[in-house]
Amino acid sequence: MKIFCIGRNYKAHAEELGNAVPTRPIIFMKPGTALVSDQRPYYIPDWTQDLHYEVELVVKIKKKGKSIHPRFVKDYYDSIGLGIDFTARDIQSQCKAKGHPWELAKSFDNSALISDSWMSMEEFVEGGSRFQLIRNGDIVQSSTPDLMIFSIDEILVYISQYFTLQIGDLIYTGTPQGVGQIVSGDNLIGSINDNEVFNLSVK
Ligand code: ZN
């Protein structure tokens, strides 16, 4: 199982971190050991002083595919979930300044929260397609997928030129604006179309 993530896929988020808006999808990966659920408290690693949440729609691959033609791409996924791409922003800034890879900042153990509940694409679209992150009762991120720079279909077509997509692979499709730091004691609730899909306490 592979986990792909898309960087800077919302214009307002690229801008809030002072990054250029990309002309092709920015791809990075996380290992399976990054996955974590909300069933246990979340512990902030002791080597970062600036851990950020990034709420993201997550697509699950249901069919093996390589070099997928755009006409058939919708055959390769049918469910959507919600996750957090946890990012050690302090480490990432050091990596970016040196031109180094991002893995230490993005791919560590427990860096990929995933909801237990998955929604069909039909249900998602019919419900309004809004996803949100609520931190300690305040909505800090709220968006819809039409604001993505690269659509889910475009992302899958692009990735499959380079990597074989396999059943169960996950694709984190990028975060909208509003990212920020989490601290011990925080509560993070994710919702899709006003249905709560995860509820995480941070220790
Ligand atoms: Zn992200």
Side-chain angles (χ1 to χ4, degrees):
M1 193 271 292
K2 304 187 289 302
I3 304 167
F4 295 95
C5 303
I6 311 302
R8 303 173 197 164
N9 201 24
Y10 291 79
K11 188 166 175 284
H13 168 64
E15 288 170 353
E16 76 180 342
L17 293 183
N19 292 312
V21 174
T23 52
R24 282 160 36 121
I26 296 173
I27 311 289
F28 60 95
M29 293 174 78
K30 296 182 188 246
T33 45
L35 280 181
V36 63
S37 81
D38 62 354
Q39 300 305 306
R40 291 180 186 178
Y42 191 87
Y43 289 91
I44 298 175
D46 59 7
W47 43 259
T48 175
Q49 313 311 316
D50 194 18
L51 187 70
H52 274 207
Y53 55 79
E54 295 190 354
V55 78
E56 312 199 358
L57 291 172
V58 183
V59 174
K60 192 188 281 184
I61 298 299
K62 69 160 187 177
K63 183 178 168 185
K64 188 175 177 181
K66 180 81 204 289
S67 303
I68 298 168
H69 191 282
R71 199 190 309 157
F72 304 117
V73 68
K74 291 196 190 306
D75 296 343
Y76 291 82
Y77 68 99
D78 61 6
S79 59
I80 198 148
L82 197 67
I84 296 182
D85 165 20
F86 282 111
T87 303
R89 197 71 72 198
D90 46 356
I91 308 293
Q92 189 192 29
S93 299
Q94 294 166 17
C95 294
K96 282 160 76 174
K98 293 178 187 161
H100 290 174
W102 285 350
E103 273 81 355
L104 289 182
K106 286 276 199 184
S107 307
F108 54 91
D109 285 359
N110 304 334
S111 59
L113 178 78
I114 190 68
S115 59
D116 288 330
S117 46
W118 293 82
M119 196 172 267
S120 71
M121 288 307 296
E122 291 80 22
E123 209 184 337
F124 174 62
V125 171
E126 283 165 12
S129 312
R130 179 158 294 276
F131 62 101
Q132 293 186 316
L133 184 71
I134 298 141
R135 175 179 176 239
N136 305 332
D138 296 326
I139 298 171
V140 288
Q141 293 192 276
S142 180
S143 193
T144 52
D146 54 296
L147 294 175
M148 287 181 184
I149 297 169
F150 302 102
S151 69
I152 292 171
D153 289 1
E154 288 169 331
I155 291 167
L156 264 58
V157 167
Y158 183 80
I159 290 177
S160 75
Q161 292 176 53
Y162 301 89
F163 299 92
T164 299
L165 291 174
Q166 293 168 297
I167 295 170
D169 284 354
L170 300 177
I171 298 168
Y172 284 65
T173 56
T175 195
Q177 71 199 94
V179 301
Q181 190 182 11
I182 61 165
V183 295
S184 178
D186 277 358
N187 170 253
L188 299 173
I189 293 174
S191 72
I192 299 182
N193 297 337
D194 292 325
N195 300 309
E196 182 178 308
V197 292
F198 64 74
N199 188 329
L200 184 72
S201 11
V202 181
K203 293 289 177 188

